[in-house]
Amino acid sequence: CALINALGEGNRWERAEAAFQEMLAQGLEPNTITCTALITALRQGCQWDKAEAAFKEMLARGLKPTLITYNTMLALFESSGEWEKAETLFRQMHQKGMRPNSNSFRTLISALRKGEQWGKVEDVLQLMREAGERLEDGTLDVYITALVKRGDKERAKALLEETKHEVRAYVSTYHTLLKAFQESGEWKQAEDFVQQMRDEHERLDQRTYEILIAILGECRQWERLDETFQQMCKEGHRIEEDTYNELITTLGNGGQWERAETVFKNMQGMQVKPTAVTYRCRLRSLQQGEQLDKAAAVLCEMREMGFDTQTEITAS
C-alpha cells in the first residue's frame, strides 16, 4: 500500500498499477486501503476509466469504501466532467450510511457547477447547510451564482445578508448579483444593493462603480450617474482611459453630449491622457448631439496634436 501511495504521489500510475497486479499474482488479497491507493494513483494520472474500473472491482470484492475512497471518486468524476456519476455516487454514500464531509459537498458542487446544473447546485448547497457544514467564501460564490442563474436575485441578495456574519463574500460575488440587476435593467435595486455593499465594506471597489455607472447609463438615470461618478472620483479611484471612453460613449449614445464633455474635462484634469479612441468617442457624442461646430473644433484640436483626422472622420 505504501509503495502504491508513493508511486501515485509521483504521478507514476503505470508502476502503481503494476505493483497492484504483482500483489495479486503473489496471492495477496487487497484491502480497502490498497484499492483506494490504486484508485488515487490512477486518478492523479488522469486515467479515469481505469480508476472507475478499479473502484467497481473493489466493490465486487465486497470491500467497503471509506470516506476517502468516495471523495477520491467524486474528485475523479468532477475532473472528468461527469456530473451525473458524481451525483449518483453521492446518493449512494447516503444510502450506505456514509456521512459526507465538507470536501464531499464541495467536490459535488464543483462537478454540478461545471455541468451548469444550477438547480442541483442549489439543492446540494441547501443540504450542506442543513448538515451543519459551514459555507466558505468560494462555496457562497457558487451558491449566489446558482441563484442568479435561476433568476432568483432577491433570494441571492437575502442570502448575502443572512451569511454576512458567517462568511465574508468575495467582491466578485457581489459583482455577479450586480450584473444580474444590470441584465434586468433594475437600476434602483442595483443602487440599493450597492448601498448594502458600502455598509459592509465601507469603501467600494472601482469595478463596482463601473458596473453601477453602466447600469445607470443604460437606464438613462443621468443625474444618478453624475452623482455616482463624482463619488467614485471623490474616493480617489484611479480611473483609466478605458473607463472614461466607455462613459463618454454611454453619455453620447443617450444624447448627453454636454455631460460627455464634462467627463472629458475631468479626464484632462485627472491627467489621464486621451488617445485617438477617446477623441473618436467624443466626436461620436457630439455628432449624435448634432453639435457639428463643436465636432469640427475637436477635429482641429486633434490635427494640432498630430492625429490622423481623416482616419478618425472615417472611423467616427
Side-chain angles (χ1 to χ4, degrees):
C1 177
L3 175 60
I4 295 173
N5 267 326
L7 292 171
E9 291 174 359
N11 201 23
R12 290 174 287 179
W13 66 267
E14 298 100 328
R15 293 182 62 184
E17 187 178 39
F20 185 83
Q21 292 301 325
E22 184 179 345
M23 184 186 74
L24 294 178
Q26 292 177 1
L28 299 175
E29 284 294 321
N31 58 21
T32 298
I33 297 175
T34 309
C35 290
T36 300
L38 174 62
I39 292 167
T40 301
L42 293 169
R43 184 187 73 81
Q44 291 173 334
C46 300
Q47 301 300 306
W48 318 128
D49 292 340
K50 286 178 177 287
E52 187 175 2
F55 178 67
K56 290 179 179 178
E57 183 179 344
M58 173 185 173
L59 297 178
R61 290 177 180 276
L63 297 174
K64 185 178 179 181
T66 64
L67 180 59
I68 294 174
T69 313
Y70 278 118
N71 284 348
T72 300
M73 289 302 300
L74 285 171
L76 185 154
F77 293 137
E78 187 269 345
S79 297
S80 62
E82 299 175 283
W83 66 264
E84 299 97 329
K85 289 183 178 180
E87 184 183 38
T88 298
L89 183 65
F90 190 82
R91 193 178 301 116
Q92 289 173 356
M93 288 177 64
H94 274 282
Q95 292 171 351
K96 298 291 185 181
M98 179 67 67
R99 180 183 173 85
N101 62 8
S102 58
N103 189 39
S104 313
F105 281 111
R106 284 198 303 270
T107 306
L108 176 59
I109 289 166
S110 179
L112 293 170
R113 179 184 59 81
K114 286 183 177 180
E116 297 187 352
Q117 301 298 308
W118 300 111
K120 293 178 181 292
V121 166
E122 186 182 355
D123 292 341
V124 174
L125 283 162
Q126 186 60 41
L127 183 64
M128 181 179 181
R129 296 191 79 192
E130 290 172 359
E133 294 290 342
R134 181 180 177 274
L135 285 180
E136 298 177 353
D137 43 15
T139 312
L140 178 61
D141 182 69
V142 175
Y143 203 161
I144 295 299
T145 301
L147 289 167
V148 168
K149 291 286 186 179
R150 295 187 68 182
D152 198 348
K153 298 186 290 296
E154 289 306 315
R155 174 67 187 126
K157 185 178 177 182
L159 181 63
L160 281 171
E161 182 66 23
E162 289 172 20
T163 58
K164 67 180 181 181
H165 298 301
E166 178 182 349
V167 57
R168 187 175 179 83
Y170 292 148
V171 173
S172 60
T173 305
Y174 286 95
H175 293 168
T176 296
L177 184 49
L178 196 55
K179 288 176 183 177
F181 287 125
Q182 180 178 15
E183 290 176 6
S184 58
E186 298 175 274
W187 68 268
K188 189 65 175 68
Q189 290 86 337
E191 269 198 335
D192 292 343
F193 183 59
V194 168
Q195 183 57 52
Q196 179 182 327
M197 291 178 64
R198 184 178 283 109
D199 293 341
E200 294 176 18
H201 294 272
E202 295 183 5
R203 185 176 184 271
L204 296 177
D205 67 291
Q206 183 164 327
R207 184 56 185 153
T208 297
Y209 273 115
E210 290 172 350
I211 297 171
L212 180 58
I213 286 171
I215 295 171
L216 294 171
E218 290 168 10
C219 296
R220 297 176 175 267
Q221 299 297 315
W222 308 120
E223 291 184 5
R224 297 285 197 182
L225 187 152
D226 287 343
E227 292 172 5
T228 302
F229 181 68
Q230 289 168 13
Q231 183 63 33
M232 181 181 180
C233 296
K234 184 178 178 181
E235 290 188 6
H237 290 286
R238 173 63 181 174
I239 305 172
E240 302 296 336
E241 179 220 340
D242 287 347
T243 302
Y244 278 111
N245 293 346
E246 289 174 10
L247 184 51
I248 291 170
T249 298
T250 297
L251 292 167
N253 290 340
Q256 302 295 308
W257 68 268
E258 292 175 300
R259 284 188 163 93
E261 288 295 283
T262 299
V263 169
F264 180 77
K265 290 176 182 176
N266 178 281
M267 181 180 187
Q268 292 178 309
M270 297 299 292
Q271 297 184 335
V272 177
K273 186 176 180 180
T275 64
V277 175
T278 309
Y279 278 103
R280 189 180 303 157
C281 296
R282 192 181 173 200
L283 277 173
R284 285 174 179 165
S285 170
L286 292 169
Q287 289 168 348
Q288 287 169 326
E290 299 183 355
Q291 301 298 311
L292 301 184
D293 290 343
K294 292 183 181 295
V298 170
L299 283 170
C300 291
E301 182 183 340
M302 293 174 66
R303 197 174 294 114
E304 291 172 1
M305 296 178 67
F307 287 111
D308 182 353
T309 54
Q310 188 59 45
T311 300
E312 295 309 317
I313 290 171
T314 302
S316 63

